[in-house]
């Protein structure tokens, strides 16, 4: 009997020791610490999940989003690409006043040379005398006369009786002066521009139809910027991945009580594209759908008159390298290179994303993206189309000779 009792006791001791050994113990292993939560609940503010359904606060004061700058320990090959592999056309150029003087043009030319950007399309919404004088200054430059082209602007003030006739006449004059397309149609169309009666001028307003029809007749691509990233229309809370940017720049917020919703603007924009199927549209910033390539794919499939441009959305392209690579390959005939803000030191980030297989590198503006980028390694044939061939094909006013085959 004593022997049987001893065996049972020893068995219980072994089982208990095994159970204890399986529990996390010691500092840094959870050790039963933390506040439990129910399945589906989130950890309370100031805590994080250390084990399934167990939350804990750090012992040290947490840094702010501005001060937390961890240095990656990842060691991988890095290929810094200073110049584009093929000469590029920047279809979304904002040369910041450099077109108005010979000195400014020389500065612009030197910067473009350093990047292998052969041509910049100025999308500064110029028209009338300003457009004429800018084109005259460009044409007077032996070095830059074939490296800059201008898009014509549209004045959307006072849309009503007689507006369309005047706008079309001005557009025809701007084309005669040398404009090669229209744009950048500003985001204020749909957001803030009013009609004379005080109502919002919608993007698909029928009174604008004659101008889009004229663009089709004249063979002009329309470069259009609609709305802003979807997060700008959402509450500025800690679930908004653009919280820092919206906290830095108050003018990028679009409260629901003052502005139409993101989806309302997208609906109006898409109505415009569908209604004017003979007009070539280029939606800037990948239509603000670089974070939802499935949605942009459906648009491109449905609307053969639609193209898109990559300016200022590299942060979304580079964080999904496999999906982005496949998207660019599939729609290689519909995507144009553009940069938007003219900061020469930022262009090489585009070359690196498009041309390499690099892993986990910084984006150039941390307030846009706190995540890292990856190269999408596009084939040479796709690079040529994105960098220059697609822009050449839809913009007949660009010099067509001298480009790589």
């Amino acid at each position: 009997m004593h022997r049987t009792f001893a065996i049972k006791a020893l068995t219980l001791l072994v089982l208990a020791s095994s159970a204890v050994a399986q529990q996390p113990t010691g500092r840094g292993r959870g050790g039963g610490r933390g506040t439990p939560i129910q399945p589906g609940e989130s950890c309370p503010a100031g805590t994080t999940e250390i084990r399934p359904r167990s939350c804990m606060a750090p012992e040290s004061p947490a840094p702010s989003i501005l001060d937390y700058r961890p240095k990656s320990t990842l060691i991988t090959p890095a290929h810094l690409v200073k110049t584009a592999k093929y000469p590029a056309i920047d279809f979304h150029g904002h040369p910041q006043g450099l077109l108005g003087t010979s000195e400014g043009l020389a500065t612009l030319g030197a910067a473009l040379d350093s990047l292998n950007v052969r041509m910049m399309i100025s999308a500064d919404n110029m028209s009338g005398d300003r457009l004429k004088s800018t084109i005259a200054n460009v044409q007077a430059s032996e070095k830059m006369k074939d490296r800059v082209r201008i898009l014509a602007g549209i004045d959307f003030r006072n849309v009503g009786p007689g507006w369309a006739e005047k706008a079309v006449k001005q557009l025809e004059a701007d084309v005669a002066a040398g404009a090669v397309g229209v744009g950048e149609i500003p985001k204020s169309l749909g957001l803030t521009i009013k009609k004379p009666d005080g109502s919002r001028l919608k993007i698909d307003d029928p009174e604008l139809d004659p101008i889009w029809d004229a663009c089709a007749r004249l063979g002009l691509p329309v470069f259009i910027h609609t709305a802003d990233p979807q997060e700008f229309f959402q509450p500025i809370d800690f679930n908004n991945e653009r919280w820092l940017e919206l906290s830095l720049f108050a003018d990028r917020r679009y409260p629901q009580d003052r502005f139409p919703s993101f989806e309302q603007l997208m609906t109006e924009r898409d109505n415009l594209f569908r209604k004017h199927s003979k007009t070539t549209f280029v939606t800037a910033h990948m239509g603000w759908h670089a974070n939802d390539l499935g949605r942009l794919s459906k648009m491109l499939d449905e609307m053969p008159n639609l193209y898109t441009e990559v300016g200022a959305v590299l942060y979304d392209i580079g964080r999904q390298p496999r999906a982005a690579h496949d998207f660019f390959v599939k729609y290689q005939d519909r995507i144009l290179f553009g940069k938007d803000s003219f900061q020469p030191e930022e262009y090489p980030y585009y070359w690196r994303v498009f041309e390499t297989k690099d892993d986990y590198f910084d984006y150039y503006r941390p307030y846009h993206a706190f995540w890292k980028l990856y190269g999408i390694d596009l084939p040479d044939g796709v690079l040529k189309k994105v960098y220059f061939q697609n822009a050449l094909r839809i913009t007949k006013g660009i010099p067509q000779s001298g480009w790589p085959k």
Side-chain angles (χ1 to χ4, degrees):
M1 179 176 180
H2 290 292
R3 185 170 180 273
T4 302
F5 177 80
I7 292 174
K8 289 183 177 179
L10 182 60
T11 300
L12 290 173
L13 180 62
V14 170
L15 290 173
S17 299
S18 176
V20 170
Q22 293 179 30
Q23 296 296 320
T25 59
R27 296 178 63 83
R29 298 184 65 185
R33 297 178 293 179
T35 302
I37 58 173
Q38 297 301 312
E41 289 185 345
S42 298
C43 287
T47 68
T48 190
E49 196 168 36
I50 57 169
R51 289 291 187 273
R53 298 177 299 283
S54 182
C55 305
M56 193 166 71
E59 294 180 355
S60 301
S64 74
I65 191 174
L66 295 171
D67 297 329
Y68 185 58
R69 304 169 190 174
K71 293 185 177 180
S72 173
T73 60
L74 185 69
I75 307 297
T76 60
H79 304 87
L80 304 182
V81 186
K82 294 183 179 180
T83 62
K85 188 171 186 179
Y86 300 102
I89 295 173
D90 183 351
F91 201 84
H92 192 166
H94 294 299
Q96 300 180 344
L98 294 176
L99 305 185
T101 65
S102 57
E103 294 79 11
L105 282 168
T107 298
L108 177 63
L112 297 183
D113 287 344
S114 72
L115 300 165
N116 198 21
V117 174
R118 177 174 167 183
M119 173 164 288
M120 174 175 282
I121 309 295
S122 174
D124 283 333
N125 207 35
M126 295 188 203
S127 186
D129 291 341
R130 181 186 173 207
L131 180 141
K132 287 181 179 179
S133 63
T134 301
I135 290 176
N137 193 58
V138 170
Q139 290 301 308
S141 170
E142 190 62 31
K143 180 178 179 181
M144 297 298 292
K145 65 181 181 181
D146 288 330
R147 301 192 63 186
V148 174
R149 289 294 180 268
I150 313 293
L151 300 181
I154 304 296
D155 185 352
F156 292 104
R157 293 174 296 177
N158 301 313
V159 171
W163 175 87
E165 292 82 356
K166 181 179 178 181
V168 169
K169 184 177 180 180
Q170 182 61 61
L171 176 60
E172 291 172 340
D174 290 341
V175 172
V180 300
V182 171
E184 170 182 9
I185 301 296
K187 61 187 175 184
S188 54
L189 176 62
L191 272 172
T192 58
I193 297 176
K194 306 290 185 182
K195 300 179 75 170
D197 63 5
S199 63
R200 180 175 67 91
L201 179 60
K202 297 180 180 180
I203 300 168
D204 57 352
D205 191 303
E207 294 195 80
L208 304 181
D209 287 349
I211 200 74
W212 313 128
D213 292 339
C215 290
R217 171 172 54 84
L218 296 168
L220 303 173
V222 177
F223 184 47
I224 180 168
H225 174 165
T226 301
D228 265 337
Q230 188 169 1
E231 297 89 344
F232 290 11
F233 295 79
Q234 302 298 323
I236 309 173
D237 57 26
F238 291 168
N239 293 313
N240 191 322
E241 67 179 358
R242 305 296 283 272
W243 178 89
L244 179 57
E245 180 175 1
L246 294 170
S247 297
L248 289 169
F249 303 100
D251 59 344
R252 299 184 185 182
R253 309 170 190 168
Y254 300 111
Q256 294 183 6
D257 60 341
R258 293 172 48 202
F259 296 94
S261 70
F262 179 82
E263 288 302 331
Q264 177 62 42
L265 294 168
M266 298 299 103
T267 297
E268 294 174 9
R269 177 203 65 186
D270 293 353
N271 288 342
L272 170 66
F273 296 162
R274 292 189 190 96
K275 184 176 184 180
H276 296 277
S277 59
K278 295 182 180 180
T279 305
T280 297
F281 290 97
V282 181
T283 181
H285 311 294
M286 295 183 78
W288 299 120
H289 301 318
N291 65 319
D292 186 355
L293 294 177
R295 180 172 182 170
L296 185 54
S297 295
K298 291 179 181 178
M299 291 173 60
L300 293 170
D301 290 343
E302 180 187 348
M303 308 168 190
N305 59 321
L306 180 62
Y307 294 76
T308 194
E309 171 270 341
V310 301
V313 290
L314 192 68
Y315 53 81
D316 272 335
I317 297 169
R319 64 168 163 172
Q320 49 180 331
R322 290 176 293 276
H325 173 276
D326 293 349
F327 178 88
F328 274 70
V329 170
K330 182 176 181 180
Y331 297 101
Q332 59 186 273
D333 296 317
R334 312 282 290 281
I335 305 170
L336 282 66
F337 172 73
K339 171 61 178 64
D340 194 7
S341 175
F342 182 62
Q343 303 291 336
E345 65 272 20
E346 295 174 349
Y347 284 72
Y349 289 83
Y350 286 78
W351 317 146
R352 189 178 184 188
V353 167
F354 293 149
E355 298 179 22
T356 80
K357 294 188 288 187
D358 284 3
D359 287 325
Y360 202 74
F361 54 92
D362 288 333
Y363 180 64
Y364 54 85
R365 295 187 188 178
Y367 71 82
H368 269 175
F370 54 84
W371 51 86
K372 303 294 184 179
L373 305 184
Y374 300 82
I376 68 174
D377 191 30
L378 295 177
D380 285 0
V382 177
L383 286 174
K384 291 177 183 178
K385 290 180 179 180
V386 172
Y387 282 173
F388 66 91
Q389 288 177 352
N390 293 336
L392 288 175
R393 180 159 43 85
I394 69 170
T395 316
K396 61 185 181 182
I398 296 177
Q400 300 289 309
S401 61
W403 300 90
K405 299 299 183 181

